[in-house]
Amino acid sequence: MKNDKSNNYRVNEQIRVKEVRIVGENGSTVVPTRQALDMAREQGVDLVEISPNAQPPVCRLIDYSKFLYQQKKRAKEMKAKQVKQEVKEIRFGPQTDDHDYEFKLRHAKEFLEDGNKVRAFVFFRGRSILFKEQGEVLLLRFANDLEEYGKVERMPSLEGKKMFLYLTPKKVGAAKKSQQKMDKERREAEDADENPITEQKAPSGGLFDNAKNGADALKKLQEE
């Protein structure tokens, strides 16, 4: 039996309360501390206090070195399970073209799949702030395109010359489900190419039309 222990846990003669509760595989029992010390000595182990604030304090009969090893192993496993979450930024201009939009959309999907949050924002320069609704439409489109990967933590809000949108990742299972959906949609698209019916026009008057109209108005303003 060892008496010279660290200050993390009280062990053996360091435990000076009148009685303790000993827990083990067969349940728990309350015994006088002196009796618990005798039991530890007979088994060739230590009396380790694991819950000092309980009434009475809870102890285990275990080799203290083995106990510390188990604690460190458990702490390491818990740390490994924890996901280090970062906030990744995606920046847009009010006139972001489709190619740039798709590029940033792919990055946002990767960030969310890795368990990171995404803070997307539109930066308005000069008089472009007059078309802040266009930035809002862009961010809402962005959130809609990422609905399988992340959920909106905060809706678009204007702060100075920037309009922010915050997304937090969904569970991994949701991302896997999204991949299955994407594969299905790709197969359906391939079937449609092989068996075309009629070309359908995109509906008008939606959010994307609003974004286009805002872009045209902004372009005219900049040409003045």
Side-chain angles (χ1 to χ4, degrees):
M1 296 175 65
K2 300 177 181 179
N3 296 321
D4 186 14
K5 306 298 177 183
S6 68
N7 294 326
N8 292 332
Y9 299 93
R10 290 192 297 183
V11 185
N12 299 328
E13 282 75 13
Q14 294 176 351
I15 305 172
R16 296 187 174 88
V17 294
K18 184 178 180 180
E19 59 183 11
V20 296
R21 178 181 297 277
I22 298 178
V23 295
E25 296 179 355
N26 298 323
S28 67
T29 181
V30 177
V31 299
T33 302
R34 179 50 55 186
Q35 180 181 342
L37 287 169
D38 291 339
M39 293 168 61
R41 189 176 297 106
E42 291 174 0
Q43 297 180 28
V45 294
D46 298 297
L47 180 67
V48 183
E49 186 182 60
I50 60 175
S51 184
N53 296 325
Q55 295 296 329
V58 178
C59 297
R60 287 184 63 188
L61 298 175
I62 188 173
D63 181 87
Y64 189 59
S65 299
K66 180 179 179 181
F67 173 76
L68 288 181
Y69 171 77
Q70 291 177 346
Q71 293 297 102
K72 291 180 180 178
K73 182 179 179 181
R74 187 176 295 110
K76 185 177 181 180
E77 290 175 349
M78 291 180 63
K79 185 177 180 180
K81 291 180 180 179
Q82 292 177 346
V83 178
K84 184 178 179 181
Q85 192 176 63
E86 299 179 1
V87 178
K88 301 292 187 177
E89 280 196 345
I90 300 290
R91 173 175 173 169
F92 292 103
Q95 286 186 295
T96 300
D97 58 37
D98 290 339
H99 180 269
D100 191 30
Y101 176 85
E102 293 297 331
F103 176 78
K104 292 177 178 179
L105 183 66
R106 288 196 299 271
H107 276 287
K109 288 179 180 179
E110 293 174 359
F111 294 150
L112 292 169
E113 286 180 327
D114 290 340
N116 298 307
K117 290 186 177 183
V118 170
R119 177 171 61 191
F121 68 93
V122 179
F123 181 69
F124 299 97
R125 294 179 180 274
R127 290 186 294 175
S128 65
I129 192 67
L130 297 174
F131 297 94
K132 57 183 181 293
E133 292 81 7
Q134 179 182 342
E136 183 177 6
V137 170
L138 175 63
L139 292 177
L140 289 174
R141 173 191 175 189
F142 193 63
N144 182 70
D145 290 343
L146 292 169
E147 63 177 349
E148 297 288 346
Y149 299 86
K151 56 184 178 180
V152 176
E153 187 176 68
R154 200 172 94 187
M155 293 296 287
S157 60
L158 186 64
E159 300 176 16
K161 293 184 178 181
K162 296 179 181 179
M163 180 173 286
F164 290 95
L165 169 74
Y166 290 84
L167 298 169
T168 188
K170 287 187 176 181
K171 295 181 179 180
V172 177
K176 291 181 178 179
K177 181 180 178 181
S178 172
Q179 185 61 48
Q180 294 174 355
K181 183 177 180 181
M182 290 171 63
D183 292 339
K184 180 181 178 182
E185 291 176 349
R186 186 177 65 252
R187 290 194 297 270
E188 291 175 350
E190 292 174 351
D191 293 339
D193 291 338
E194 294 176 358
N195 303 288
I197 303 176
T198 56
E199 183 179 355
Q200 296 181 345
K201 294 184 179 180
S204 60
L207 292 178
F208 300 159
D209 286 324
N210 293 338
K212 183 178 183 300
N213 293 335
D216 293 340
L218 179 60
K219 184 176 181 181
K220 290 181 180 178
L221 181 62
Q222 291 176 335
E223 291 175 348
E224 293 178 357

